[in-house]
Amino acid sequence: MYIELVKHPDVFLRSVSKDVPFPLDDKTERLTKYMARAMYQHHGIGLAAIQVGYQLRMFVMDCTRAQESPQVFINPVIVKNSEETLTDFEGCLSAPGKRGEVKRYLRIVLKYQDKEGAEHQKTFYDLEARCIQHEMDHLEGRLCIDYEKGEYSRDKHKSQTMVESDFRVKHNT
Ligand SMILES: [Zn+2]
């Protein structure tokens, strides 16, 4: 089954996602698996719920080569970050063919919940830290292509063409 992603410049990607209530209902539980499938199908290392049509504060990530151990992060919050940053180019599954030059912290401490609702606090480095910061932007309606020379640009965000959402959630029953 081919999973369609919400794509830029769809205005839906600009919405701010909401907290996920616990205990997870069956639908949200299924959604985490669906997100992982979508991530692998599109050869990404991370994917936020908004990219498959749900305004929920959760994302999946797998930066391993094997691509068989997706991690699920629910209601994530960055509680600490390094002084050191790195500016590099990033792409997004929701903006194919485009890229942004984005400054990210090299190291972050993330607080999040797993599917059972248990709280975790963990330090992430380098590629994982970058990927998490990219996904956290999705939860706020931001995209990596909004950045200019490393910095987030409100003007660029605004100037990106906004079109009415034509995304249909096909599995939203
Ligand atoms: Zn993205």
Side-chain angles (χ1 to χ4, degrees):
M1 176 188 49
Y2 181 78
I3 300 176
E4 200 184 335
L5 301 181
V6 186
K7 301 260 175 70
H8 168 76
D10 195 317
V11 74
F12 189 78
L13 286 171
R14 300 313 194 161
S15 41
V16 176
S17 293
K18 296 173 190 68
D19 282 339
V20 178
F22 278 94
L24 283 197
D25 55 21
D26 288 352
K27 190 178 146 189
T28 313
E29 167 82 35
R30 280 200 306 276
L31 178 59
T32 62
K33 296 189 177 73
Y34 181 75
M35 285 164 62
R37 212 170 338 130
M39 172 175 72
Y40 292 136
Q41 192 173 85
H42 292 273
H43 309 290
I45 56 171
L47 184 124
I50 195 83
Q51 296 179 274
V52 289
Y54 294 85
Q55 294 159 308
L56 292 171
R57 300 188 80 82
M58 55 188 220
F59 64 88
V60 290
M61 176 174 82
D62 186 352
C63 294
T64 67
R65 233 173 243 285
Q67 294 266 290
E68 56 196 18
S69 47
Q71 292 176 269
V72 182
F73 300 87
I74 303 175
N75 300 328
V77 181
I78 295 173
V79 291
K80 225 168 138 184
N81 56 259
S82 58
E83 290 285 318
E84 312 94 299
T85 59
L86 181 70
T87 300
D88 203 353
F89 286 97
E90 276 176 29
C92 179
L93 294 178
S94 288
K98 292 177 181 288
R99 56 185 199 162
E101 196 177 4
V102 189
K103 184 162 81 183
R104 303 287 193 197
Y105 302 115
L106 282 181
R107 193 174 65 253
I108 55 163
V109 179
L110 190 75
K111 197 174 84 175
Y112 62 95
Q113 285 172 282
D114 61 25
K115 289 198 278 186
E116 281 70 46
E119 283 209 358
H120 300 268
Q121 191 159 309
K122 208 180 148 192
T123 306
F124 294 90
Y125 306 86
D126 306 318
L127 182 60
E128 285 193 325
R130 175 170 292 273
C131 181
I132 288 168
Q133 289 166 82
H134 176 111
E135 302 311 326
M136 297 292 291
D137 270 354
H138 275 300
L139 307 189
E140 306 302 329
R142 297 169 161 211
L143 296 174
C144 61
I145 55 171
D146 301 337
Y147 287 76
E148 204 142 57
K149 298 202 189 329
E151 304 295 334
Y152 195 78
S153 163
R154 271 279 144 209
D155 290 342
K156 206 167 168 197
H157 175 147
K158 280 197 205 115
S159 70
Q160 307 271 8
T161 326
M162 298 289 193
V163 299
E164 282 306 305
S165 181
D166 61 359
F167 186 76
R168 302 281 178 267
V169 181
K170 297 184 176 80
H171 309 278
N172 192 359
T173 48

